Amino acid sequence: MSASDLAITPPATRQVVVETLREEASVWLFVVKTLIAFFLTGWLAMRFALPAPSTAMLTTVIVANRQSGMVLAKSFYRAIGTLAGATAAIAIVASFPQQRDLFLVALSLWIGLCAGGATLYRNFKSYAFVLGGYTAAIVAIPVIDNPPGVFDSSWARISEVLLGLAVSGVVNDVVFPSRMRDVLRRAAREQFSHFVAFVRDSTRGRMARETMENAHLRFVRDAVTFEDLRSSVIFEDAEARARSGHLRLFNQRFMAASTSFQSLHHLINRLKRAHRDLAADTLVRLYAPIGAALDAPIDAGVVARELLPRLATARESLRAQRSPLRASLTDTQDIRDFDTGASLLLRFVDELYAYVDAAASLQAPRVIAASGERVRFDRGNDFLGAGLATLRTTLTMLALGAFWICSAWPLGSSAMLLATVFAGLFATIPNPTRVTWMVMLGYLSGMAAAFVCEFFVLTQVDGYPLLVIGIAPFLAIGLVMMMSKRLASYGLGWAMGLAYILALKNVQVYDPAHFINDAIAQVVGLGAAAVSFVVIPPAIGSAWLRRRQLARLRGQVALAAEAPLPGLRHRFESVNHDLVSQVVAQTEPGSADSRALIAWALAVHETGRALIELRHDMARADLPTTLRPYLTEALRTLARFYEKPDAPGYLLARDAVATAIASVGEHEGVRHLLDHLHLVRMALLDGESVLAAYMPNAPLAKEIVHAS
């Protein structure tokens, strides 16, 4: 080992030790805060003489999270789900007070609908649906033989849940809070600095396709992660709520600029591959001022405000250089390629300026009045997959309900309650069968620990302080495992099993026979949920759903070609990014499915945005009557080809675009439409894109690459 190695080793070791200690401190801080919330909630519930303090205490375990904002967001949606579930329970009991069969059918259908609704969201809104079903069950099932008691039951459950939420929120906001706003700010800085640096470093021109694919995945993850963080941070931070509109605008402008950036580099790459080096190099020269404008330290602080005047100067330089550079070209094809690229480059620099301007407004110390532009992040939901989750959960509840009625099982309600929780909770994850079984094993372990705790520890103590000392070590084991990636599901099952089976009350009853029977019922409910995922596999993570999502992604071109124009840019970008993020999360990195998705995503982003810009220019232009049918036909055939790609559809789309280009060329006043049409044509003829599979092998495909 050299002297230099010895000099480097200690700092590296110290860094590892510091990071390890920081992570351990974070884990134990989470455990301590959760234990405080758990036992403080139990003490208050007993002081208020609530019927089931254990329900309030279990709530604190379910909403536990390291980040204060996550706890508050989860609590907010749990409160909504609880109120909705209690209302549904009252309605179901009122509708079928003396008809047990119809009561269970209605309840099962409601729980199924809630499970289906949970699959339509990727954040804590999903949790509100799960709680809507679960709360209806815990309110309605205990009063199945006493319908008038539904009001007392619903009020008790609402009081218990809201108490647990309130205590969790206060504890996490007061005891060494870990703020989500810091995570959001860091995400915004990283998104901004990475994208600006990437643009600056790419001004040399050609970019490898693999580099572009990796960049696209990074852009997708950044956009979706940022929106998920924003939707949670607004619950903990008043400034984040005030800036929520700016945050959305910042993210939407990032998506728009990144799409134009990718289209620009695809164009330059195509020109290089087609040996149109003069046109490509001229575009790179036109592109150079952007790199010079961004040649500044990209980090936190006032960098965005400093970049704005530099980008404005670069934009003016681009416009001034465009004509001289164009005049340096003599070949008609080079001029046409240059015009297409220059138009795209100017669009990109406008969007980049708007993105940097949005970043500057976020960095301002005071909240700036929002612009008139209103945006939202639309999601790419699959309602057929949600229907599958609804069917599976409904059938599971009906099967358990029928068994309960036929067997007259006294504890059948416990089985239904547990099945309700886990059938809804795990309907939203890619591999619910494995996770459910892991949770089930953890649940069994938690119940075994609870048996030891209740009958060998709690029977020996008196008073609430000693009860805390007796239970805390058992619960802490599950909470620590929840913070481990490998044991998180097992730890969740342990903590929930322990808290649920202990069923702490104001006057605790120690009945081993009831404990064991209740444990069996809960295991049956968990097992029923696990079996339901085997009998009716979930759509999430399946090849079937990936095919549907890929078809939905391709269908975004039809959206771009045919949907109403107001708000279309924002809708197109956000749904594209959400769909790609879903499929990427459900496919193995580097697999054939993953690469096919990325290839289609790049093609859809480029073509879709070109069609949207074409339609906007068509709406602003005074189109000749004879020209509109050709443009409309090009839009229609492209939409149909992307919806159902095949070789005949490809030929129709290619020829329709070529015809539209020829028709536009005959009219002087609308020549600017050619830039968008040429970009679409070059994407169609890209031999390295995903569309190459549909191209004929005839020489015509090469001959018309630059034909007008």
Side-chain angles (χ1 to χ4, degrees):
M1 182 179 290
S2 66
S4 60
D5 291 334
L6 291 173
I8 293 173
T9 300
T13 303
R14 284 197 298 271
Q15 182 69 16
V16 171
V17 171
V18 168
E19 290 182 358
T20 302
L21 291 176
R22 183 182 295 117
E23 176 64 20
E24 286 298 312
S26 175
V27 169
W28 285 104
L29 181 60
F30 164 80
V31 171
V32 170
K33 291 199 301 187
T34 305
L35 290 175
I36 292 173
F38 182 84
F39 291 114
L40 180 58
T41 298
W43 182 79
L44 290 173
M46 291 177 183
R47 294 286 293 178
F48 296 151
L50 296 180
S54 59
T55 300
M57 299 169 80
L58 182 63
T59 297
T60 65
V61 174
I62 294 176
V63 301
N65 196 284
R66 292 193 194 193
Q67 301 290 342
S68 303
M70 292 295 189
V71 173
L72 294 173
K74 202 171 184 180
S75 298
F76 175 80
Y77 288 115
R78 182 176 171 92
I80 292 177
T82 298
L83 295 173
T87 302
I90 293 173
I92 291 171
V93 172
S95 300
F96 309 104
Q98 304 296 330
Q99 299 166 301
R100 175 173 292 197
D101 296 348
L102 293 178
F103 166 87
L104 288 174
V105 169
L107 183 62
S108 299
L109 183 59
W110 168 258
I111 295 170
L113 289 172
C114 289
T119 65
L120 297 178
Y121 295 93
R122 260 80 56 204
N123 53 26
F124 291 130
K125 292 179 183 178
S126 170
Y127 192 59
F129 283 95
V130 175
L131 265 296
Y134 172 61
T135 302
I138 65 173
V139 169
I141 288 177
V143 299
I144 192 170
D145 293 320
N146 179 32
V150 68
F151 296 101
D152 291 337
S153 179
S154 62
W155 179 248
R157 297 296 85 77
I158 290 172
S159 301
E160 291 155 3
V161 169
L162 292 184
L163 175 63
L165 297 180
V167 173
S168 290
V170 171
V171 169
N172 280 274
D173 200 49
V174 172
V175 181
F176 297 106
S178 178
R179 301 296 185 192
M180 281 295 296
R181 68 186 178 201
D182 299 329
V183 179
L184 179 65
R185 288 170 180 168
R186 185 166 59 250
R189 287 196 301 267
E190 290 176 355
Q191 182 200 96
F192 178 79
S193 61
H194 174 266
F195 183 64
V196 171
F198 198 80
V199 171
R200 179 194 60 205
D201 296 340
S202 67
T203 53
R204 290 183 295 273
R206 187 166 185 171
M207 184 185 299
R209 193 172 192 87
E210 184 179 356
T211 303
M212 179 58 72
E213 290 178 352
N214 292 334
H216 180 69
L217 284 179
R218 171 70 183 263
F219 299 155
V220 166
R221 283 194 296 267
D222 285 351
V224 176
T225 300
F226 188 84
E227 171 59 21
D228 289 340
L229 286 171
R230 184 206 63 81
S231 64
S232 296
V233 174
I234 58 175
F235 290 98
E236 75 165 18
D237 189 68
E239 183 180 355
R241 285 194 297 274
R243 294 182 185 267
S244 182
H246 280 116
L247 292 168
R248 280 179 167 162
L249 187 60
F250 170 78
N251 206 26
Q252 289 288 354
R253 288 178 175 175
F254 166 69
M255 290 186 287
S258 64
T259 296
S260 296
F261 170 79
Q262 292 169 68
S263 297
L264 176 63
H265 278 276
H266 280 310
L267 174 61
I268 294 174
N269 286 353
R270 291 183 190 116
L271 292 176
K272 292 282 188 180
R273 290 198 306 270
H275 305 293
R276 310 299 303 177
D277 293 322
L278 182 57
D281 293 340
T282 306
L283 278 174
V284 172
R285 288 171 60 191
L286 184 64
Y287 190 2
I290 299 178
L294 300 179
D295 189 14
I298 308 299
D299 51 19
V302 296
V303 67
R305 292 197 297 276
E306 293 178 353
L307 287 179
L308 285 174
R310 299 166 67 114
L311 280 173
T313 302
R315 181 165 53 186
E316 294 306 315
S317 176
L318 287 176
R319 290 171 177 165
Q321 293 180 23
R322 180 177 183 178
S323 295
L325 288 174
R326 187 179 191 274
S328 69
L329 302 173
T330 56
D331 185 84
T332 304
Q333 292 180 351
D334 286 341
I335 293 173
R336 192 208 61 199
D337 293 335
F338 176 81
D339 285 343
T340 301
S343 175
L344 181 56
L345 181 55
L346 287 172
R347 184 182 92 191
F348 168 63
V349 76
D350 285 340
E351 290 172 345
L352 180 61
Y353 183 91
Y355 172 61
V356 175
D357 182 56
S361 70
L362 288 179
Q363 292 175 0
R366 294 183 179 180
V367 178
I368 301 173
S371 66
E373 188 176 4
R374 294 291 184 268
V375 298
R376 67 177 186 177
F377 193 100
D378 290 321
R379 299 284 186 171
N381 293 321
D382 187 273
F383 290 94
L384 191 56
L388 190 64
T390 298
L391 176 64
R392 177 180 57 251
T393 307
T394 301
L395 292 178
T396 302
M397 295 302 107
L398 286 174
L400 283 174
F403 178 74
W404 183 19
I405 292 174
C406 294
S407 64
W409 187 14
L411 293 174
S413 59
S414 291
M416 289 198 68
L417 288 176
L418 262 294
T420 299
V421 173
F422 292 102
L425 197 61
F426 297 135
T428 61
I429 60 177
N431 190 4
T433 304
R434 178 182 176 279
V435 173
T436 306
W437 286 111
M438 283 293 294
V439 171
M440 186 174 178
L441 290 175
Y443 205 94
L444 286 168
S445 302
M447 288 193 298
F451 184 88
V452 174
C453 177
E454 181 162 347
F455 297 106
F456 293 94
V457 177
L458 298 187
T459 54
Q460 307 301 315
V461 302
D462 185 25
Y464 199 76
L466 292 178
L467 179 142
V468 171
I469 295 172
I471 296 176
F474 294 94
L475 182 57
I477 293 173
L479 296 176
V480 170
M481 288 190 290
M482 284 173 63
M483 291 295 99
S484 166
K485 290 183 179 180
R486 191 167 58 91
L487 298 174
S489 298
Y490 188 90
L492 176 64
W494 175 293
M496 291 186 65
L498 180 82
Y500 197 88
I501 198 69
L502 282 177
L504 296 176
K505 306 177 183 65
N506 276 308
V507 179
Q508 186 70 1
V509 177
Y510 299 98
D511 184 347
H514 182 273
F515 184 102
I516 294 172
N517 286 331
D518 195 18
I520 293 172
Q522 292 179 35
V523 171
V524 169
L526 259 173
V531 169
S532 71
F533 289 116
V534 176
V535 176
I536 305 178
I540 295 177
S542 66
W544 171 79
L545 182 59
R546 285 198 298 272
R547 287 193 297 270
R548 285 182 55 81
Q549 289 171 326
L550 188 55
R552 173 78 185 278
L553 180 64
R554 293 195 306 265
Q556 287 294 101
V557 174
L559 179 83
E562 299 169 343
L565 284 174
L568 181 56
R569 286 192 188 100
H570 303 319
R571 181 182 174 193
F572 175 81
E573 293 287 358
S574 58
V575 172
N576 280 3
H577 282 70
D578 188 58
L579 283 170
V580 174
S581 71
Q582 288 182 59
V583 186
V584 166
Q586 299 163 18
T587 55
E588 183 181 350
S591 64
D593 285 342
S594 178
R595 293 189 63 82
L597 163 75
I598 297 169
W600 273 113
L602 292 171
V604 167
H605 270 68
E606 182 175 15
T607 301
R609 271 301 301 277
L611 295 185
I612 292 173
E613 301 305 323
L614 172 64
R615 292 181 60 205
H616 275 289
D617 282 352
M618 288 171 58
R620 289 189 290 263
D622 185 14
L623 291 180
T625 307
T626 56
L627 177 58
R628 186 174 291 277
Y630 295 108
L631 294 172
T632 303
E633 179 64 11
L635 291 168
R636 188 192 68 81
T637 55
L638 282 165
R640 300 293 81 78
F641 166 65
Y642 271 87
E643 283 182 330
K644 191 175 180 181
D646 54 23
Y650 171 83
L651 292 175
L652 287 173
R654 185 196 68 182
D655 294 343
V657 172
T659 302
I661 289 173
S663 301
V664 171
E666 297 174 357
H667 300 83
E668 289 292 337
V670 291
R671 288 291 182 89
H672 59 287
L673 300 180
L674 287 174
D675 296 335
H676 310 303
L677 291 169
H678 281 313
L679 186 61
V680 172
R681 184 89 185 285
M682 294 176 76
L684 281 172
L685 300 174
D686 186 351
E688 291 191 5
S689 76
V690 71
L691 305 184
Y694 307 101
M695 297 177 184
N697 294 323
L700 178 63
K702 296 181 180 179
E703 292 173 359
I704 63 174
V705 170
H706 296 286
S708 58

